[in-house]
Amino acid sequence: MAGFRIFGETTYHALHVRPFRTAGLWKGIRQSEIFSLDRAAAAYIPVLLLPLFSSVFTSFKISIPEIVPFAWDQTLMRADLALHGGVHPWQLLQPVLGHPLVTSALSYLYNFWHGMICVVYWQMFRLEKRALRMQFLISFVLTWAILGSLGALLFSSAGPCYYGYIVDGPNPFAEQLAYLQSTQDIFTNRALLGQEYLWRLYQDGKAGLGGGISAMPSLHVAVALLIFLLARSFSRRMAWITGTYVVIIMVGSVHLGWHYAVDGYVALIGAAMAWMAAGWIVRNVVPPAPCPSNASSDLLQDGQSPGA
């Protein structure tokens, strides 16, 4: 995390400090309080809890098929048909996205989601906009716990890419999977590699980094929305960039066979509710934290009084 913090500050100063000079760069980094005790104290609890939380979540996700075998795929597939005029959503997207280069690019952009989790580490160490920071971190935990754990358990499903393995009868996604497989002969399709990796872990009954199969709801979509809700408080440009990425994740999850469209719709609603619930918690439940004197102006920017 310290390495990530240094890299982030270095990148920020290299891109935004003008004119760019090596001496000025390192001076700016020293003045950015990377190793500030206030920042370390603010990050202390989330830094300790995140590894434990991630480990428990992964273990639970891997266990879901053992607790509740995949049973919702056929229902979710039919829900997609009902919501999209009797047509599978992937078929609606195919005329626009059904080109090997586009599919390959989407697969890389979809995988970039894992890099966006660095936003969580960034928020751990922020002192500015304390209420917003707390709202984001609390909503992040609520999303993974309620949507990614409880929701995934109640609606245990594998997703279109595994439909043929777990549902008897014709596979309505066979044509889609055949197309995705054909793109691999032209451009690398990162989605297929990930799907093969997860299915191999599932068959072998092993745990692995990022392991566990669960379609409903889509955490990729939910977390992307949380990052958008955070980013819009910083600048319009960041809001546009992260909002566009939410759309990319949503259509990519369907086009690449990871999710049913309804998985994303539920994730959007659930993440928005988690964000609002976290905001309520910050305003009404979380006790005030002692702040350094130089942070009082930041609290006022958050709409709080100095004594809040």
Side-chain angles (χ1 to χ4, degrees):
M1 289 184 181
F4 166 75
R5 184 72 187 165
I6 293 171
F7 173 78
E9 292 291 344
T10 303
T11 302
Y12 172 79
H13 285 281
L15 294 178
H16 293 278
V17 175
R18 297 292 187 270
F20 174 78
R21 295 190 302 271
T22 303
L25 171 65
W26 290 111
K27 181 180 179 180
I29 293 174
R30 289 196 300 272
Q31 294 175 348
S32 67
E33 300 180 348
I34 297 174
F35 301 106
S36 162
L37 290 179
D38 291 335
R39 292 183 184 273
Y44 182 74
I45 292 177
V47 165
L48 288 180
L49 291 181
L50 183 65
L52 176 63
F53 176 76
S54 300
S55 177
V56 171
F57 171 80
T58 301
S59 299
F60 183 80
K61 184 178 179 181
I62 293 172
S63 303
I64 286 177
E66 302 298 326
I67 303 172
V68 180
F70 300 128
W72 278 84
D73 284 86
Q74 197 169 30
T75 301
L76 296 175
M77 180 271 293
R78 290 172 177 168
D80 264 4
L81 285 175
L83 289 173
H84 298 89
V87 181
H88 292 290
W90 74 266
Q91 293 174 324
L92 297 174
L93 295 173
Q94 192 67 8
V96 178
L97 305 179
H99 306 280
L101 180 59
V102 175
T103 299
S104 178
L106 272 177
S107 73
Y108 278 94
L109 288 171
Y110 194 84
N111 273 20
F112 180 71
W113 179 89
H114 299 283
M116 290 188 70
I117 296 299
C118 290
V119 172
V120 179
Y121 299 122
W122 167 50
Q123 285 298 304
M124 286 181 182
F125 288 89
R126 289 190 74 249
L127 293 180
E128 304 83 3
K129 298 187 177 182
R130 181 174 64 91
L132 181 64
R133 167 187 180 269
M134 296 175 71
Q135 183 175 4
F136 174 76
L137 293 176
I138 292 172
S139 64
F140 182 81
V141 171
L142 288 176
T143 297
W144 286 72
I146 298 176
L147 297 182
S149 297
L150 180 60
L153 178 69
L154 295 177
F155 301 98
S156 180
S157 52
C161 57
Y162 305 122
Y163 190 96
Y165 298 139
I166 61 174
V167 179
D168 295 331
N171 183 0
F173 305 101
E175 184 180 347
Q176 178 187 16
L177 298 179
Y179 161 75
L180 293 174
Q181 192 64 51
S182 69
T183 63
Q184 187 77 335
D185 300 330
I186 305 174
F187 298 104
T188 301
N189 188 330
R190 302 298 303 178
L192 290 180
L193 300 178
Q195 290 161 7
E196 292 171 1
Y197 166 75
L198 292 181
W199 189 252
R200 185 166 60 251
L201 288 178
Y202 170 72
Q203 284 188 311
D204 295 341
K206 295 181 179 178
L209 182 64
I213 294 175
S214 176
M216 165 65 90
S218 170
L219 276 182
H220 276 71
V221 173
V223 173
L225 180 65
L226 293 182
I227 293 174
F228 161 74
L229 294 173
L230 173 71
R232 67 177 183 168
S233 299
F234 289 90
S235 71
R236 180 175 296 181
R237 176 182 297 181
M238 291 303 300
W240 275 103
I241 292 173
T242 54
T244 300
Y245 192 68
V246 173
V247 176
I248 290 173
I249 287 290
M250 180 69 206
V251 300
S253 68
V254 175
H255 176 68
L256 297 171
W258 283 112
H259 289 282
Y260 307 98
V262 70
D263 299 344
Y265 301 154
V266 171
L268 290 173
I269 296 172
M273 293 177 65
W275 179 264
M276 291 186 290
W280 184 89
I281 291 171
V282 170
R283 291 189 301 271
N284 298 283
V285 179
V286 176
C291 300
S293 58
N294 62 357
S296 59
S297 61
D298 295 326
L299 288 176
L300 289 175
Q301 292 177 4
D302 285 344
Q304 298 184 16
S305 62

